[in-house]
Amino acid sequence: MQITLNIPGWFLLIIFAIPLLFLMFLVSKRFAKPILRKVISKITGTAAKRLLSDKYTQNIAEMWPSLNRFSILNLLEMSLRAEDGKVLTRPLGTPKHFLGFENLMFAPKQMTSLSLQESVKVDMQVTIGANTTKPLTISIPLMISGMAYGLALSEEAKRALARAAKTLQTAISSGEGPFLPEERADAGKYVLQISRWIWGRRNIEQISSADMLEVQMGQGADIGSVLVEAMALKGRAQVLAGLAPGQSTTSFPAPPGVKSPEDWPGFMKSLRKQAKGIPIALKLMATGHLEDDLAVAVDLGFDAVILDGAQGGSHATTPIKQDDFGIPSLNALVRAERYLKNTQVSLIVAGGYFTPGQCLKALALGADAVYLATVPLFALVHGQIDKVIPWEPLTTLLYYDSSTKTQLNIDQAATSVVNVLQSMVLEMEEAMRSLGKTSLKELNADDLVALDALSAEVTGVARVY
């Protein structure tokens, strides 16, 4: 199939007529209006005639049935693949929509139990790894998820997120990139990711600075080994990663020290010794073998599981991993809660949580906390978009390999993140008072009702009919 696009006369007419018409408009509105109407009529008439008479193979309308078979996104990604024949990486996760929380509704009791006054304080505090000697306690159930320095975000963006987390009295994850000392200095509660890179085992000083460790095996949009070219990690991140100039690097299937499943017990024994009582969490891509993975996690003594559903994003991973791996966050949450409910393992969920309602419903279904990434990521650029728009996407202010990253005002960005998460928590507190609850510990699945049979079947929540 070939699309032939000749340059039509009406197109040239547009190019030359617009400046002339604008000049005429300035000279005389009275005469310009009827002339403009006439020109527009001529252009649209010619275009319609071409559209309705040209052979299909030479007609721009050929795109109509094609784009009904596939999407504009498919067309874009086909073209990007055709450009250089390399692996395509897409930012920020899949555009697919999965079964979510939309058909679950809160069901307050109005006559048998009254809602609470606005002045009533709601306890939103969360403790992760309660059975450890140094559990992680945060003031709100929303945490800032791992976004890697160097592999994704700039120092400016990471420091802004860290400052926001400290103000909110919540925790931030380092992500899988090289350890950034300034981020740790700016943060309050700090989660250090033990990642699948040559720097990922971390040293004892870095581990000692953490409030929780997070062993990363996968995330919603990524799993397995990937290559990072030297050009993508040059500069300070390269130095902190321990790489030589011009050295590319590849992630491992598991953290350094785990070459086969039989290595896990020894790995955990060593890590537990270094952790000195802080919780150790396992971060997983939720898949159809979830219960098998959770069984191993429980046997190994992990204190928490971080479960990333298929809606989870990433700085840049392949569309096939984003679109065709994993299971939806709601299914993952329900299955994990059922498996872990008789254990002491804390459950943190992630992947596609954007609203206060979604987060509170996840907590009602058994999650202890929710990791957020996309929400704080876009909050960072609030009030600063004029620095890149319209020529570049907003996120170019945030990425490590961007020339505009130093234009990000760190304090302003941190304030915006604080405002967004604070607003979300305030809405969640208002919802809690409407339900007559004074603590997250009182919230459960009985406070929900399902609008459709599938949501009811998946969650076990009572149907509305």
Side-chain angles (χ1 to χ4, degrees):
M1 179 177 69
Q2 180 179 1
I3 300 175
T4 304
L5 293 176
N6 299 318
I7 300 178
W10 57 265
F11 181 78
L12 296 175
L13 182 62
I14 291 177
I15 297 298
F16 292 106
I18 289 177
L20 179 61
L21 290 173
F22 182 68
L23 179 62
M24 292 173 63
F25 178 77
L26 294 177
V27 174
S28 172
K29 292 182 182 179
R30 179 181 176 186
F31 295 108
K33 185 174 180 180
I35 295 174
L36 184 61
R37 287 173 61 91
K38 196 171 204 177
V39 171
I40 291 174
S41 296
K42 178 66 175 176
I43 292 171
T44 54
T46 302
K49 184 178 179 181
R50 290 288 304 272
L51 190 67
L52 299 174
S53 61
D54 279 3
K55 289 177 60 177
Y56 226 148
T57 54
Q58 297 178 351
N59 197 320
I60 189 64
E62 183 194 48
M63 295 298 293
W64 182 265
S66 298
L67 289 175
N68 271 305
R69 293 184 63 232
F70 55 86
S71 69
I72 293 176
L73 177 63
N74 295 145
L75 178 64
L76 170 66
E77 293 186 345
M78 286 177 198
S79 299
L80 293 175
R81 289 186 175 100
E83 184 67 22
D84 57 19
K86 295 182 179 180
V87 170
L88 180 64
T89 55
R90 181 204 292 154
L92 301 178
T94 181
K96 290 175 68 173
H97 292 276
F98 300 96
L99 175 69
F101 295 88
E102 290 71 21
N103 281 351
L104 296 176
M105 305 295 286
F106 286 109
K109 299 174 182 178
Q110 298 175 76
M111 299 302 292
T112 59
S113 178
L114 299 181
S115 59
L116 305 177
Q117 292 282 352
E118 192 276 336
S119 58
V120 173
K121 182 175 175 57
V122 179
D123 181 11
M124 302 294 278
Q125 190 178 86
V126 170
T127 297
I128 306 297
N131 60 325
T132 61
T133 57
K134 298 177 183 177
L136 172 65
T137 300
I138 51 180
S139 295
I140 61 175
L142 306 180
M143 304 167 66
I144 297 179
S145 189
M147 290 176 271
Y149 166 65
L151 295 173
L153 298 189
S154 67
E155 178 177 330
E156 292 82 0
K158 290 293 285 179
R159 294 189 67 179
L161 289 170
R163 292 180 189 182
K166 185 174 184 178
T167 300
L168 291 161
Q169 297 180 50
T170 190
I172 181 173
S173 170
S174 68
E176 58 186 321
F179 180 84
L180 181 63
E182 289 81 0
E183 178 191 22
R184 179 61 194 100
D186 285 335
K189 299 297 176 70
Y190 185 67
V191 180
L192 178 63
Q193 199 170 96
I194 308 299
S195 65
R196 298 176 293 110
W197 298 88
I198 59 173
W199 59 80
R201 187 64 187 263
R202 315 300 186 180
N203 61 45
I204 190 62
E205 182 181 353
Q206 293 165 356
I207 290 175
S208 298
S209 74
D211 297 286
M212 184 169 83
L213 301 179
E214 180 179 303
V215 179
Q216 199 256 32
M217 281 298 291
Q219 59 194 58
D222 195 21
I223 192 173
S225 181
V226 295
L227 170 69
V228 171
E229 299 286 356
M231 287 298 293
L233 205 61
K234 63 181 181 179
R236 190 176 183 218
Q238 179 189 76
V239 175
L240 293 177
L243 299 175
Q247 180 184 350
S248 300
T249 186
T250 305
S251 62
F252 307 127
V258 179
K259 295 183 178 180
S260 73
E262 290 71 30
D263 294 330
W264 277 115
F267 173 89
M268 282 298 293
K269 182 179 180 180
S270 174
L271 191 61
R272 181 71 68 187
K273 185 176 180 180
Q274 295 177 72
K276 297 186 185 304
I278 64 174
I280 301 177
L282 174 65
K283 183 172 184 178
L284 294 169
M285 170 192 278
T287 75
H289 297 288
L290 178 58
E291 286 77 9
D292 295 335
D293 293 330
L294 293 176
V296 176
V298 172
D299 287 344
L300 289 171
F302 280 98
D303 305 299
V305 168
I306 299 160
L307 207 54
D308 215 350
Q311 297 96 312
S314 177
H315 168 58
T317 53
T318 55
I320 193 170
K321 287 182 180 177
Q322 293 183 11
D323 298 343
D324 303 295
F325 276 62
I327 61 175
S329 293
L330 178 60
N331 301 78
L333 163 58
V334 172
R335 287 174 61 172
E337 189 277 332
R338 289 172 181 167
Y339 190 90
L340 298 173
K341 65 181 178 181
N342 294 321
T343 72
Q344 296 296 311
V345 179
S346 300
L347 178 59
I348 304 170
V349 294
Y353 293 91
F354 307 121
T355 70
Q358 291 170 337
C359 295
L360 196 61
K361 289 171 188 177
L363 297 172
L365 290 173
D368 292 292
V370 180
Y371 254 143
L372 299 177
T374 301
V375 170
L377 184 73
F378 279 93
L380 283 171
V381 297
H382 175 73
Q384 303 188 58
I385 63 174
D386 57 310
K387 297 175 181 178
V388 290
I389 291 293
W391 309 116
E392 295 174 314
L394 305 178
T395 47
T396 55
L397 275 174
L398 309 175
Y399 292 151
Y400 178 78
D401 59 357
S402 169
S403 60
T404 59
K405 62 185 179 183
T406 57
Q407 296 182 36
L408 184 75
N409 183 305
I410 296 177
D411 288 333
Q412 183 180 353
T415 297
S416 296
V417 174
V418 169
N419 288 344
V420 165
L421 297 192
Q422 189 175 67
S423 174
M424 292 178 68
V425 172
L426 288 173
E427 283 192 46
M428 293 164 70
E429 289 177 351
E430 182 172 323
M432 291 283 287
R433 284 190 288 267
S434 296
L435 291 166
K437 313 285 184 179
T438 60
S439 170
L440 287 175
K441 296 180 179 66
E442 300 172 13
L443 189 67
N444 57 62
D446 292 337
D447 295 305
L448 297 168
V449 65
L451 301 182
D452 67 297
L454 180 58
S455 296
E457 180 184 354
V458 168
T459 62
V461 168
R463 290 193 293 179
V464 73
Y465 56 91

